[in-house]
């Protein structure tokens, strides 16, 4: 094998490596985007759950008010009423906390997608740059340098 053949083989290997790196970066980007879409779906479900919990709590409060309207209420009834309202409020707070947690995860997922997008772009840019360099070398008839 001549020096030119060795250089050509090394250049082709480097080109494949850069192509593989770009493919991997692209796969990571698509994975991050899928995870982000899944998270967005869970966020929407959590938002809906919070809205439903608030609505249920409101209906429960209205039902209790309607039930005891115009009646003399004993301490025991007030205690039961208070307990029912606290349980509803606790459930709503729990749903809101879960939603908030997902929103915090969303900012992390957004940053991950942005990093993956930049990495994929950079890898693709390197592949294109390398391809252009090989074309220029081929046009000049020069031997490709295996260290590029």
């Amino acid at each position: 094998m001549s020096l030119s053949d060795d250089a050509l083989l090394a250049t082709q290997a480097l080109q494949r490596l850069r192509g593989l790196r770009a493919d991997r970066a692209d796969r990571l980007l698509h994975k991050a985007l899928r995870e982000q879409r899944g998270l967005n779906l869970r966020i929407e479900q959590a938002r809906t759950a919070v809205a439903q919990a608030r609505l249920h709590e409101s209906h429960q409060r209205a039902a209790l008010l309607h039930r005891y309207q115009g009646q003399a209420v004993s301490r025991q009834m007030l205690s039961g009423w208070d307990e029912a309202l606290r349980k509803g409020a606790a459930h709503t707070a729990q749903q809101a906390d879960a939603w908030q947690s997902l929103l915090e995860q969303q900012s992390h997922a957004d940053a991950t997608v942005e990093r993956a997008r930049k990495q994929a772009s950079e890898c693709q840019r390197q592949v294109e740059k390398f391809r252009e360099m090989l074309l220029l070398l081929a046009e000049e008839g020069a031997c490709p340098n295996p260290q590029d």
Side-chain angles (χ1 to χ4, degrees), residues 124-139:
Q124 193 59 41
R125 189 184 66 75
Q126 288 176 0
V127 165
E128 291 301 319
K129 194 169 148 182
F130 195 75
R131 200 173 284 145
E132 289 173 10
M133 181 193 69
L134 288 177
L135 287 173
L136 287 173
L137 288 172
E139 286 175 7

Side-chain angles (χ1 to χ4, degrees), residues 10-143:
T11 303
Q12 289 171 341
L14 185 58
Q15 185 177 15
R16 278 192 307 275
L17 178 63
R18 288 189 180 181
L20 291 172
R21 188 178 296 154
D23 289 344
R24 182 176 181 268
D26 201 39
R27 283 191 309 274
L28 288 173
L29 172 60
H30 289 293
K31 178 184 176 197
L33 287 169
R34 273 192 314 275
E35 289 173 357
Q36 185 183 45
R37 282 191 299 271
L39 181 60
N40 287 341
L41 179 61
R42 291 194 329 263
I43 286 171
E44 184 57 31
Q45 290 168 341
R47 186 196 63 74
T48 301
V50 168
Q52 288 175 345
R54 287 178 179 156
L55 186 62
H56 178 71
E57 185 181 350
S58 175
H59 285 292
Q60 185 181 24
R61 200 175 303 125
L64 286 170
L65 283 171
H66 181 71
R67 179 192 224 173
Y68 296 109
Q69 187 174 7
Q71 295 181 20
V73 181
S74 69
R75 254 180 199 241
Q76 188 177 9
M77 279 195 256
L78 278 176
S79 177
W81 186 355
D82 186 49
E83 181 65 25
L85 290 177
R86 273 190 278 143
K87 280 183 182 179
H91 178 68
T92 301
Q94 182 183 25
Q95 295 292 328
D97 288 346
W99 183 31
Q100 185 60 40
S101 174
L102 289 170
L103 288 173
E104 290 168 6
Q105 289 177 30
Q106 185 181 36
S107 64
H108 177 71
D110 290 347
T112 300
V113 165
E114 189 56 34
R115 280 191 306 274
R117 185 172 280 131
K118 284 179 182 177
Q119 180 66 26
S121 271
E122 177 61 24
C123 287
Q124 193 59 41
R125 189 184 66 75
Q126 288 176 0
V127 165
E128 291 301 319
K129 194 169 148 182
F130 195 75
R131 200 173 284 145
E132 289 173 10
M133 181 193 69
L134 288 177
L135 287 173
L136 287 173
L137 288 172
E139 286 175 7
E140 293 176 7
C143 175

